[in-house]
Amino acid sequence: QLEAVERELAAIAEEARRLGAPADLAGLAAARGAAEAVVASLTTAAGDHATVTARLGDQRAQAISARDEWAAALAEIAADARAAGLDLPPAPGADIPALDARQKALAALFAERASAEDGTASRAREGAIGAELDQIAAMRERADSERAGLVSTIHAALAGEGVAARGDEPLEELVTRWPPLDAAITLDAEKIERLRAERELARSEAYHAAQASEERARAARIEDADLDVDALRAELAAVEREIRQRELAARLAAETRARVIRHALPETEAYMRAILPTLTMGRYRDVSLTRDDTQGGVDLTIRVWDDIAGRYVRKNLFSGGVRDQASLALRLAFALATLPRGRGATPGFIFLDEPLSAFDAERSRALALALTRGAIAEAFPQVFLISHSQVIDPRDFDYTLRMEDGRAIASTLPTADLAASLWAAEEGARVAAAGES
């Protein structure tokens, strides 16, 4: 056994010498410790290697992303270049050297195209830019002109209000000089729109007035005449004065008529009650007159007593013939009521023009009786009746005169000798009556 152990030890010593290790146990222990230290150092280095490898992976990913962005930008530039008509080489690979070469090729191509461009296009661009600059200068000139006009307008407007200003002062300074401007500044959109509408309406009215004036001038044939404004104003003043005088006269006449009607109303109603039965052949015997105060007391309302209705009925409810009879009775009664009562002042005749336009034979006969036998005949020595009616009986009147085409074709008037004798007899009777009085 001892020999076997010695042989094993000898083999170990030989192996140790081959490996360069010490042959004793102490030396082996020391070598082992050194080996363990080396292993620990290698383990630490292996951990640091993993960290470095991870960092290198991240940087590689960032580099790939930047490369892709670079490739996309170059592709977009190439597309724009093709759209501009540039001939480009085919797209290279996606590695960094190829992309770098692609960028340099594009830069060279653009430089070549810019240097090869002829002077015509350059001059065209310069001309377009010059035209645009001229347009901008014209716009600036117009703006300056408009501003000068606005400043002049503001200056004139303020001068008209007695405010001294250049017109280009700040708004706050203008408000201090002319306080009403502050109210104009505070106008809201609605007020401004209303003022604009009023301005447009005024312009429209002025336009139509001018058109009407021109039409009147053409109608009067004075469109080209040299008119004397002062003379025309004087003539206008005279016409206006005459109009005022006529209006005053019409108002005075209306007031006088109203007073006469109020004063003569009772007597007119009494005379009408006396005349109406004769005109209506006794059918209507009573009448009532009322004054219409809504018209200033100058209009009368006629109501006739109707035996069938048992009340006074307004005239407009009767037939046309009855209405004409009532109206004629009113006119005759009013003439009698307003006759002057002084000696020698009463008119010697009454004149009736076409009172029979709507009368039939019976009503015409009644009118003849009223004129020749009733109150009218008693108040007027002479009664003149003009009519185109063929229903008048000439025997109801003392004298008749028939006219045709403006000439007398038949007459029962007295001759000149008979008229002189009748006149002398009437004068003698008047003188005798005057002597007895």
Side-chain angles (χ1 to χ4, degrees):
Q1 293 177 351
L2 179 61
E3 289 176 358
V5 171
E6 287 179 354
R7 286 193 298 270
E8 185 177 353
L9 287 174
I12 292 173
E14 183 65 25
E15 183 67 22
R17 283 191 299 270
R18 190 179 63 83
L19 294 174
D24 57 349
L25 293 176
L28 287 173
R32 180 182 179 183
E36 289 178 352
V38 171
V39 170
S41 176
L42 291 174
T43 301
T44 302
D48 293 340
H49 176 73
T51 302
V52 171
T53 301
R55 290 179 179 175
L56 288 175
D58 293 340
Q59 293 177 357
R60 182 176 181 274
Q62 293 177 0
I64 291 173
S65 176
R67 182 199 64 186
D68 293 340
E69 293 179 0
W70 187 13
L74 290 176
E76 184 177 354
I77 294 173
D80 293 339
R82 290 191 188 96
L86 297 177
D87 295 329
L88 298 177
D95 56 348
I96 297 300
L99 292 176
D100 189 21
R102 176 75 161 177
Q103 181 176 1
K104 291 179 179 179
L106 288 173
L109 182 62
F110 288 150
E112 181 183 358
R113 181 62 178 265
S115 61
E117 188 179 31
D118 59 2
T120 303
S122 178
R123 287 192 298 273
R125 285 199 304 272
E126 292 177 358
I129 294 173
E132 186 174 357
L133 291 175
D134 292 340
Q135 184 178 3
I136 294 173
M139 294 172 60
R140 174 62 184 271
E141 186 177 354
R142 286 198 301 271
D144 291 341
S145 177
E146 291 178 359
R147 181 181 181 278
L150 292 174
V151 170
S152 177
T153 301
I154 295 173
H155 172 74
L158 294 177
E161 298 296 334
V163 179
R166 298 187 310 275
D168 57 352
E169 294 87 351
L171 181 60
E172 294 76 7
E173 182 179 349
L174 292 178
V175 170
T176 59
R177 296 188 184 185
W178 192 43
L181 183 60
D182 189 26
I185 297 172
T186 58
L187 289 176
D188 55 20
E190 182 179 356
K191 292 181 180 179
I192 292 175
E193 191 64 28
R194 185 173 65 252
L195 291 174
R196 287 176 177 172
E198 292 176 356
R199 182 187 63 184
E200 293 301 322
L201 178 61
R203 287 178 176 175
S204 177
E205 291 178 350
Y207 172 77
H208 291 298
Q211 293 293 108
S213 177
E214 292 178 0
E215 291 179 1
R216 293 192 183 99
R218 285 193 296 269
R221 298 180 180 179
I222 58 173
E223 63 271 20
D224 297 329
D226 186 11
L227 302 179
D228 188 345
V229 178
D230 294 335
L232 291 176
R233 288 176 177 172
E235 184 178 353
L236 176 62
V239 172
E240 290 176 346
R241 183 170 56 254
E242 183 179 358
I243 290 175
R244 289 194 297 270
Q245 292 174 351
R246 291 176 181 242
E247 290 175 348
L248 178 60
R251 188 166 61 251
L252 292 175
E255 293 175 357
T256 302
R257 179 173 180 266
R259 287 196 299 269
V260 170
I261 289 178
R262 286 194 295 269
H263 177 74
L265 182 59
E267 196 170 356
T268 300
E269 189 176 66
Y271 276 117
M272 191 172 179
R273 286 174 180 153
I275 296 172
L276 187 62
T278 303
L279 286 178
T280 61
M281 305 296 289
R283 182 176 180 181
Y284 300 103
R285 300 179 178 275
D286 197 7
V287 69
S288 173
L289 296 179
T290 55
R291 191 174 68 248
D292 187 358
D293 293 331
T294 61
Q295 301 296 330
V298 298
D299 289 339
L300 296 176
T301 300
I302 303 174
R303 288 181 173 84
V304 179
W305 177 262
D306 189 351
D307 292 334
I308 299 176
R311 60 184 177 85
Y312 287 99
V313 179
R314 292 178 66 94
K315 180 193 72 171
N316 58 351
L317 298 179
F318 290 93
S319 65
V322 176
R323 289 199 300 269
D324 290 340
Q325 288 175 324
S327 298
L328 180 58
L330 174 62
R331 292 197 294 271
L332 293 174
F334 186 76
L336 292 172
T338 55
L339 285 176
R341 299 292 184 248
R343 174 182 290 274
T346 302
F349 65 91
I350 185 173
F351 210 95
L352 292 88
D353 189 7
E354 290 291 349
L356 306 173
S357 57
F359 283 11
D360 54 16
E362 182 180 358
R363 290 189 175 94
S364 298
R365 175 65 178 168
L367 175 60
L369 292 176
L371 296 178
T372 58
R373 303 289 187 273
I376 300 298
E378 295 175 359
F380 299 100
Q382 290 181 312
V383 177
F384 291 90
L385 175 65
I386 299 177
S387 176
H388 289 83
S389 175
Q390 302 296 324
V391 298
I392 291 291
D393 189 352
R395 293 174 297 181
D396 292 333
F397 296 89
D398 295 333
Y399 305 103
T400 60
L401 177 63
R402 184 174 180 84
M403 305 288 293
E404 186 173 318
D405 295 332
R407 300 180 62 186
I409 61 173
S411 173
T412 62
L413 293 174
T415 61
D417 294 339
L418 180 57
S421 62
L422 292 174
W423 180 258
E426 184 176 349
E427 284 295 319
R430 186 180 295 111
V431 171
E436 291 177 0
S437 61

